[in-house]
Amino acid sequence: MKKIYIDDIIASIFMIFTILIVTLNIGMRYFFNSPIRSAEEIATICFIWSVFIGGASCYRKKMHMGIDILTQMLPRKVNKYIEFLVNIVVLTMNAAFFYLSLKFSINSRLKPTAVLGISSIYVNFSLVVGFGLIFIYSIFESIKSYKKLKMKGE
């Protein structure tokens, strides 16, 4: 049985809401000549959430792009060290991004959105969730690559 991850479900739900609200707004504008005033902002907020949580899901599944021409030419033992080093760099960067996104979200809590007038923290907190998930996943990847590094006989 295939595992179902919460980040996949949440990203999918936000993408479905984005598509539904845009489609509904098109229908309202075309058939009734009366678009939904807040539809664009709602769709944008949903899309932002789907992007950052979907990005975390892609990182977990190792679907991010990489260029490995150089590492393919190196011996396997050297590749293990490079993989570990890259995972530590990614872990460090994601810790910084998580911290900065948290600071940014907290600072934006008093700024209202343009149409809905809700706090911008509801939009910007998607960065915290997305980078937080990537940070957690990068911890697991770093541990995995460290264990690979310490394995004997390969």
Side-chain angles (χ1 to χ4, degrees):
M1 190 168 146
K2 189 177 179 183
K3 283 186 180 179
I4 299 172
Y5 292 94
I6 192 75
D7 55 357
D8 290 337
I9 293 170
I10 293 171
S12 299
I13 289 170
F14 277 114
M15 185 53 73
I16 289 168
F17 278 136
T18 302
I19 293 167
L20 287 176
I21 196 74
V22 168
T23 304
L24 180 64
N25 195 36
I26 291 169
M28 291 294 290
R29 187 180 315 130
Y30 183 75
F31 293 112
F32 301 107
N33 200 24
S34 177
I36 303 168
R37 196 172 81 95
S38 58
E40 186 179 331
E41 191 167 291
I42 293 169
T44 302
I45 292 169
C46 289
F47 184 70
I48 290 168
W49 274 90
S50 70
V51 165
F52 281 100
I53 295 175
S57 174
C58 287
Y59 181 82
R60 178 180 45 79
K61 296 175 187 176
K62 297 184 180 179
M63 293 176 66
H64 50 281
M65 293 179 62
I67 300 171
D68 59 353
I69 294 171
L70 179 63
T71 57
Q72 286 179 354
M73 293 186 285
L74 298 172
R76 178 177 268 179
K77 188 170 182 166
V78 175
N79 277 337
K80 286 185 193 179
Y81 285 102
I82 291 173
E83 180 184 344
F84 178 69
L85 180 65
V86 166
N87 282 322
I88 293 301
V89 169
V90 168
L91 175 68
T92 306
M93 287 176 57
N94 281 308
F97 291 151
F98 174 71
Y99 171 74
L100 291 172
S101 64
L102 188 60
K103 252 179 99 166
F104 178 70
S105 292
I106 290 169
N107 289 337
S108 71
R109 73 187 182 283
L110 299 176
K111 181 183 179 240
T113 59
V115 178
L116 294 173
I118 61 173
S119 173
S120 291
I121 198 166
Y122 296 116
V123 180
N124 298 330
F125 204 71
S126 63
L127 291 117
V128 176
V129 174
F131 285 122
L133 286 171
I134 294 172
F135 177 64
I136 291 167
Y137 297 150
S138 61
I139 290 172
F140 292 132
E141 282 300 312
S142 297
I143 292 169
K144 219 186 307 182
S145 67
Y146 179 75
K147 286 179 180 178
K148 251 197 250 183
L149 195 64
K150 292 298 175 186
M151 281 177 41
K152 304 273 188 213
E154 273 194 50

